[in-house]
Amino acid sequence: NAGVTQTPKFQVLKTGQSMTLQCAQDMNHNSMYWYRQDPGMGLRLIYYSASEGTTDKGEVPNGYNVSRLNKREFSLRLESAAPSQTSVYFCASSDTNGYEAFFGQGTRLTVV
Amino acid sequence: GDSVTQMEGPVTLSEEAFLTINCTYTATGYPSLFWYVQYPGEGLQLLLKATKADDKGSNKGFEATYRKETTSFHLEKGSVQVSDSAVYFCALSEGSATNKLIFGTGTLLAVQP
């Protein structure tokens, strides 16, 4: 069972470059999330999607955009990368009426 | 807004020692509470959960009790193993339809043989 799959696993960008982080889940979950993990700060919610066709801002949305392409896929886009966006990014999904969120393996992004 | 505070690490223990990682929360409603674990190089996975006051979540020898009166959800294990070395995150869900999770900062546990 694949669960939540993120690509790529590692990425180095130059300041100002753009890129899209991909996420797909095969559990038929309605809700999907993007978090960033930084030392000493835990995981902070960037954006979430409660259902196909809807997206909402989380705690730290500035500098990011998202697309809920269909029920399976939820992508995160950095239009103009900045060193402050160096982080580990996690995608997660959950059932609307469930309690457990399932996480991908993470994308380690470095912006130089 | 809702928030989670957990003890800072790292916590270093010898094998078979008793573990406690403190977690307190602030919430306006009646959240569900969780402990997630992150092993090196991996994503987070659910360790245990409790959905209402006085519930006890348990898994793999770990336990935590939802204490509404003290707004706490402390993680305990009677005898840790080297394989328990990981980062532990306390989290709450606001209980809305989106099931958004709010995380604490994480506590690194290192168990020495």
Side-chain angles (χ1 to χ4, degrees):
Chain A
N1 293 332
V4 178
T5 303
Q6 290 182 236
T7 55
K9 286 187 169 49
F10 301 94
Q11 184 72 49
V12 179
L13 290 177
K14 294 182 179 178
T15 297
Q17 287 186 315
S18 62
M19 79 162 294
T20 300
L21 281 64
Q22 306 287 353
C23 175
Q25 52 92 8
D26 62 3
M27 295 171 283
N28 202 37
H29 286 164
N30 287 318
S31 298
M32 297 186 72
Y33 317 86
W34 277 105
Y35 288 89
R36 59 178 289 173
Q37 182 180 21
D38 301 293
M41 304 195 73
L43 278 82
R44 293 181 292 169
L45 184 64
I46 304 171
Y47 270 94
Y48 66 97
S49 171
S51 61
E52 184 180 354
T54 68
T55 61
D56 286 285
K57 295 178 180 179
E59 182 184 356
V60 288
N62 291 345
Y64 305 94
N65 285 302
V66 290
S67 296
R68 183 74 182 267
L69 304 170
N70 47 54
K71 192 171 186 179
R72 288 187 66 248
E73 299 173 289
F74 188 40
S75 62
L76 178 72
R77 182 160 179 84
L78 287 71
E79 291 291 352
S80 178
S84 61
Q85 294 178 306
T86 294
S87 188
V88 181
Y89 291 85
F90 287 99
C91 178
S93 71
S94 70
D95 223 357
T96 301
N97 296 317
Y99 295 99
E100 180 174 0
F102 293 82
F103 284 79
Q105 295 287 318
T107 297
R108 186 173 294 276
L109 175 67
T110 302
V111 182
V112 298
Chain B
D2 295 355
S3 64
V4 175
T5 303
Q6 63 181 104
M7 64 187 286
E8 292 189 16
V11 173
T12 303
L13 296 173
S14 297
E15 209 164 21
E16 299 184 2
F18 184 85
L19 168 71
T20 300
I21 300 178
N22 290 337
C23 171
T24 58
Y25 67 90
T26 301
T28 52
Y30 302 94
S32 296
L33 302 175
F34 307 84
W35 278 99
Y36 279 81
V37 59
Q38 183 181 32
Y39 298 104
E42 298 185 9
L44 280 73
Q45 53 186 279
L46 181 67
L47 180 60
L48 55 83
K49 67 185 182 191
T51 58
K52 61 183 187 297
D54 299 325
D55 270 3
K56 177 185 283 189
S58 62
N59 186 25
K60 300 180 181 179
F62 291 89
E63 294 183 339
T65 300
Y66 190 142
R67 301 283 188 203
K68 190 170 184 295
E69 64 275 13
T70 55
T71 61
S72 65
F73 193 55
H74 304 321
L75 182 68
E76 297 182 335
K77 187 175 186 182
S79 176
V80 295
Q81 306 300 312
V82 172
S83 58
D84 293 326
S85 298
V87 180
Y88 292 82
F89 291 91
C90 186
L92 69 81
S93 171
E94 298 169 326
S96 66
T98 62
N99 284 329
K100 288 185 295 179
L101 287 167
I102 297 171
F103 287 90
T105 54
T107 302
L108 173 63
L109 171 66
V111 180
Q112 299 175 337

